[in-house]
Amino acid sequence: MRYISTRGAAPILDFEGATLAGLASDGGLYVPETWPRFTEAEIAAMAGLPYVEVAVRVCAPFTASALDEAVLRDIFTRAYGRFAHDAVVPLVQLDHRHWLLELFHGPTLAFKDVALQALGLVFERFLRASGRHITVIGATSGDTGSAAIDALAGRAGVEVFMLHPDGRVSEVQRRQMTTVLDANIHNIAIAGNFDDAQAIVKAMFNDAAFAARFPLAAVNSINWARLLFQVVYYFTSALALGAPHRRVAYAVPTGNFGDVFAGYVAAQMGLPIERLVVATNRNDILHRALTSGDYSAGTVTPTDAPSMDIQVSSNFERLLFDLSGRDAGALAAAMATFEATKTLALPRAWLDKAGLFSAARVDADEMADTMRWALAYTGQLIDPHTAIGLAAARRDDGDTPMVTLATAHPAKFPAAVAAATGVTPQLPARLADLMTRPERYDRAPARLQEIEAHIAARARPR
Ligand SMILES: *Cc1c(COP(=O)(O)O)cnc(C)c1O
């Protein structure tokens, strides 16, 4: 499979190149040149297979030439062997129509482990084969940082510098990052907020002199391989509910549009998905874009579902590319307008092609109500992000089976869960000593020069 940029002016790469590149050099995102499509019989033949086997079948068409089936099987076996549940992502029935797909049984208790545990192994394999090394730089509001650090700790050829806003991530989230003591992991708490951290990271990637000295790499969801590994659980869950002979709908708590885009990919591959409900909190740019074509970024309002507190959803560009009829010129012009003015009116013709999606905006009261409903009527304690997805799912009428993606374990957000339900969720036993483990991290001012100097003193040059 070859990968092309959504903006049409970057080199065409193979899976390895696209995985190591992250962002395309023209500012666009890498997407597969075509969507591979399974026949109904091929999908039916996956029913009942273990998670790892479905993952091999779903991913192989995208990785061929770079990773063959035996290598994929080895990577997925090791990655998902670290999950606390044999089913990897168990599907839990709530009532006659609703299910939760529990994506949080990985090492750091959020769905990001599903992709990052495999990506860490893929990075290591590519780097070992080529003798190269990379410097991963990221900014996190909590979940991405801990999942990336767990996945990359101790991996050969990878050095990680993760910036988080000092004092503005939960203690559980901070400790999940700072108690990883491997020599290749460097946590930096910056004196600023998440936007400051992200702006510094972007500036480092754009600093040609700095980028020339260090082989910078990204692990956020602009990385195509992350999205690919998330396509798998749409297949396993739909198969469990009767696909390909029955249609299934999904509600997805959405921030950067990565997780829900993976559902779109599954549909392109032939999985009978009836609808993808994009659930947002009050940071509702995607809700406005999909319901009225108003794609305009406001300022971010902090909420109890911080991983959805996003105004510019990077992966939405991948959908817009398809909605434009894969017209890279039109898309590049549209994105230039959006980047210059922070606003874009989506053409009617593009929106008309987005019929697979619906959208819902869920406020704090409805989120808390949904946490209480889940506990009272199903016995499930759910986290704030999952509650937003479930609220959107329950508003959707129809009788198709509806799966809500449960993106985080409730114990990751104990204060918000306790405030809504009166019950404080407990960390799983494997993390029970998290609050007493030793921590290691540095503090730095939120200034590009200081952070670059900090990294330059520790990272291995090209
Ligand atoms: C990252 C995250 C999301 C948002 O996922 P996207 O792929 O960015 O849309 C939702 N919930 C939780 C718990 C997350 O960590």
Side-chain angles (χ1 to χ4, degrees), residues 379-457:
Q380 297 277 326
L381 215 46
I382 60 174
D383 101 288
H385 305 78
T386 305
I388 286 173
L390 183 57
R394 295 183 70 231
R395 272 198 226 162
D396 182 275
D397 36 53
D399 49 16
T400 321
M402 170 67 83
V403 177
T404 298
L405 302 197
T407 49
H409 191 289
K412 247 190 142 160
F413 303 94
V417 175
T421 64
V423 179
T424 302
Q426 299 302 310
L427 283 169
R430 65 187 193 281
L431 284 167
D433 66 341
L434 183 68
M435 299 317 227
T436 55
R437 288 181 201 163
E439 292 185 83
R440 174 169 61 73
Y441 65 105
D442 291 307
R443 288 200 166 83
R447 276 194 301 272
L448 177 65
Q449 277 193 336
E450 263 99 338
I451 306 289
E452 285 188 345
H454 184 97
I455 293 173

Side-chain angles (χ1 to χ4, degrees), residues 1-3 12-19 65-66:
M1 175 66 74
R2 305 198 312 164
Y3 290 84
I12 293 174
L13 300 176
D14 67 359
F15 179 75
E16 177 173 347
T19 300
S65 85

Side-chain angles (χ1 to χ4, degrees), residues 264 322-326 348-357:
Y264 168 82
D322 272 13
L323 299 183
S324 74
R326 298 204 145 201
R348 188 74 248 168
W350 294 13
L351 272 184
D352 286 346
K353 285 195 227 148
L356 180 63
F357 295 90

Side-chain angles (χ1 to χ4, degrees), residues 74-439:
D74 173 61
I75 286 172
F76 293 141
T77 302
R78 288 160 65 201
Y80 302 129
R82 297 198 59 210
F83 277 54
H85 199 291
D86 273 354
V88 185
V89 293
L91 189 61
V92 175
Q93 186 159 13
L94 295 180
D95 64 12
H96 70 286
R97 183 180 175 217
H98 291 279
W99 280 261
L100 283 183
L101 181 58
E102 293 187 348
L103 302 174
F104 53 70
H105 294 281
T108 72
L109 310 181
F111 85 92
K112 292 182 172 74
D113 287 325
V114 178
L116 281 163
Q117 285 293 322
L119 183 64
L121 295 166
V122 169
F123 269 159
E124 186 172 65
R125 184 177 173 88
F126 287 155
L127 295 171
R128 214 174 246 158
S130 65
R132 292 167 60 188
H133 64 101
I134 53 174
T135 309
V136 169
I137 298 189
T140 184
S141 56
D143 291 342
T144 299
S146 52
I149 285 170
D150 189 278
L152 297 173
R155 298 260 166 256
V158 183
E159 200 90 36
V160 181
F161 293 87
M162 191 59 65
L163 276 58
H164 71 263
D166 201 0
R168 300 191 203 208
V169 299
S170 78
E171 190 177 1
V172 171
Q173 288 178 316
R174 187 191 73 238
R175 286 179 160 276
Q176 283 184 313
M177 298 190 277
T178 59
T179 60
V180 178
L181 303 179
D182 297 71
N184 71 326
I185 301 299
H186 308 272
N187 280 289
I188 308 171
I190 62 140
N193 60 26
F194 171 67
D195 290 341
D196 299 327
Q198 194 158 41
I200 290 171
V201 168
K202 276 197 186 143
M204 267 188 280
F205 276 92
N206 289 329
D207 176 347
F210 190 71
R213 289 174 63 198
F214 300 100
L216 304 183
V219 287
N220 55 12
S221 60
I222 60 170
N223 193 305
W224 161 254
R226 266 188 67 175
L227 304 190
L228 172 60
F229 300 143
Q230 292 168 210
V231 175
V232 177
Y233 48 69
Y234 286 90
F235 273 86
T236 57
S237 55
L239 286 160
L241 293 176
H245 315 297
R246 187 156 72 144
R247 302 172 76 78
V248 181
Y250 290 86
V252 187
T254 302
N256 230 347
F257 207 76
D259 214 0
V260 72
F261 188 78
Y264 168 82
V265 174
Q268 301 314 298
M269 295 177 78
L271 194 67
I273 295 181
E274 179 164 289
R275 187 160 49 263
L276 292 166
V277 181
V278 176
T280 75
N281 60 22
R282 19 184 328 191
N283 298 294
D284 64 349
I285 178 170
L286 290 169
H287 175 248
R288 283 182 280 114
L290 289 165
T291 50
S292 68
D294 169 24
Y295 189 54
S296 57
T299 50
V300 175
T301 309
T303 74
D304 282 336
S307 298
M308 302 165 68
D309 293 344
I310 277 183
Q311 282 291 345
V312 179
S313 295
S314 324
N315 284 296
F316 198 52
E317 175 166 345
R318 287 187 159 114
L319 178 68
L320 293 179
F321 180 58
D322 272 13
L323 299 183
S324 74
R326 298 204 145 201
D327 181 343
L331 203 263
M335 294 316 295
T337 303
F338 180 71
E339 278 160 14
T341 63
K342 293 287 164 240
T343 177
L344 178 68
L346 300 180
R348 188 74 248 168
W350 294 13
L351 272 184
D352 286 346
K353 285 195 227 148
L356 180 63
F357 295 90
S358 69
R361 172 197 204 268
V362 177
D363 66 17
D365 286 342
E366 193 178 352
M367 178 188 80
D369 278 346
T370 306
M371 282 196 248
R372 284 190 286 273
W373 176 84
L375 185 60
Y377 292 99
T378 75
Q380 297 277 326
L381 215 46
I382 60 174
D383 101 288
H385 305 78
T386 305
I388 286 173
L390 183 57
R394 295 183 70 231
R395 272 198 226 162
D396 182 275
D397 36 53
D399 49 16
T400 321
M402 170 67 83
V403 177
T404 298
L405 302 197
T407 49
H409 191 289
K412 247 190 142 160
F413 303 94
V417 175
T421 64
V423 179
T424 302
Q426 299 302 310
L427 283 169
R430 65 187 193 281
L431 284 167
D433 66 341
L434 183 68
M435 299 317 227
T436 55
R437 288 181 201 163
E439 292 185 83

